Amino acid sequence: GQQLNQSPQSMFIQEGEDVSMNCTSSSIFNTWLWYKQDPGEGPVLLIALYKAGELTSNGRLTAQFGITRKDSFLNISASIPSDVGIYFCAGQTSGSRLTFGEGTQLTVNP
Amino acid sequence: KAGVTQTPRYLIKTRGQQVTLSCSPISGHRSVSWYQQTPGQGLQFLFEYFSETQRNKGNFPGRFSGRQFSNSRSEMNVSTLELGDSALYLCASSLDHTNTEAFFGQGTRLTVV
């Protein structure tokens, strides 16, 4: 089946630093999604990507759909304490269900 | 517009019991998916429903079952609970089975003692 490798598994950064995380797949995806999950809550959709090469921003967040369609990247600029949480990538091919990465746990030190 | 509603938020059950969790999708959404999330783990796919039909099923034992009603609300049931079933159960809704943007509820935290 499809597999997503998300890295890094965890990150510890200082407030104000930029953050990068990525997901790679063994299969081609038609859609990439990025979610953030706060403790004890459900994941919240941050960014959706639909075309290879697409670069989309949402405030301080920027995500890209890789040209090979097998990877995606999420960048967070000028991190703040409320960025703490688990970030998940998810990919989908036509007609199939979403496949999720294992998540990146982000800790921001004030 | 109300989001995805899951009830109850918290539940404590004893081994061997059964439990039913409920999910009301966003109004107009017809596809509902269920996930299990254990501490430190990612999202493990349970099943997906669309128009009252199960479209996809994950690798969980038959003790885990679900259904969807004509109003798109969905329930999942776990019978003969085991300690390892303790987890956050998440429901996600999307417009239909071809629409990829899935929106999650807050989840039901199930503790089996």
Side-chain angles (χ1 to χ4, degrees):
Chain A
Q2 296 167 338
Q3 288 186 319
L4 277 185
N5 295 311
Q6 186 170 350
S7 65
Q9 282 189 319
S10 61
M11 301 182 75
F12 298 84
I13 64 172
Q14 293 296 127
E15 183 177 358
E17 290 183 354
D18 296 343
V19 172
S20 290
M21 59 191 79
N22 70 85
C23 279
T24 58
S25 168
S26 56
S27 306
I28 289 174
F29 284 120
N30 294 331
T31 302
W32 282 97
L33 304 175
W34 284 92
Y35 289 84
K36 181 194 176 201
Q37 184 178 27
D38 291 328
E41 302 291 329
V44 173
L45 181 62
L46 299 173
I47 293 178
L49 302 160
Y50 298 101
K51 294 181 183 178
E54 180 181 355
L55 187 70
T56 298
S57 293
N58 177 7
R60 293 178 297 105
L61 278 61
T62 301
Q64 183 162 25
F65 193 139
I67 288 293
T68 66
R69 295 170 63 191
K70 290 186 177 182
D71 57 5
S72 180
F73 305 86
L74 176 69
N75 296 316
I76 305 173
S77 63
S79 59
I80 59 178
S82 62
D83 290 335
V84 166
I86 304 176
Y87 292 80
F88 290 99
C89 64
Q92 186 183 38
T93 54
S94 297
S96 72
R97 61 174 180 83
L98 282 174
T99 300
F100 282 85
E102 292 298 312
T104 295
Q105 173 71 62
L106 177 63
T107 301
V108 180
N109 296 313
Chain B
K1 194 175 188 181
V4 179
T5 303
Q6 290 188 246
T7 57
R9 283 294 309 273
Y10 303 93
L11 204 50
I12 300 175
K13 289 287 189 178
T14 306
R15 270 183 303 175
Q17 286 186 313
Q18 74 163 11
V19 67
T20 298
L21 311 182
S22 178
C23 173
S24 293
I26 292 171
S27 177
H29 284 198
R30 296 166 60 197
S31 177
V32 173
S33 297
W34 288 89
Y35 297 84
Q36 181 197 65
Q37 186 178 36
T38 50
Q41 297 297 311
L43 298 162
Q44 305 298 314
F45 174 74
L46 282 157
F47 21 67
E48 177 194 359
Y49 287 88
F50 174 72
S51 289
E52 302 177 65
T53 301
Q54 186 180 90
R55 291 195 67 249
N56 285 298
K57 189 176 190 301
N59 296 323
F60 278 81
R63 299 185 297 107
F64 291 80
S65 63
R67 59 178 175 169
Q68 186 180 34
F69 302 94
S70 57
N71 62 358
S72 296
R73 189 178 71 85
S74 177
E75 289 181 347
M76 66 163 282
N77 183 278
V78 188
S79 62
T80 320
L81 284 166
E82 300 177 0
L83 294 179
D85 296 333
S86 295
L88 180 67
Y89 289 88
L90 292 161
C91 162
S93 81
S94 56
L95 272 174
D96 56 46
H97 63 284
T98 64
N99 187 280
T100 56
E101 293 189 21
F103 298 88
F104 285 85
Q106 291 180 300
T108 293
R109 170 73 63 186
L110 172 65
T111 302
V112 182
V113 297

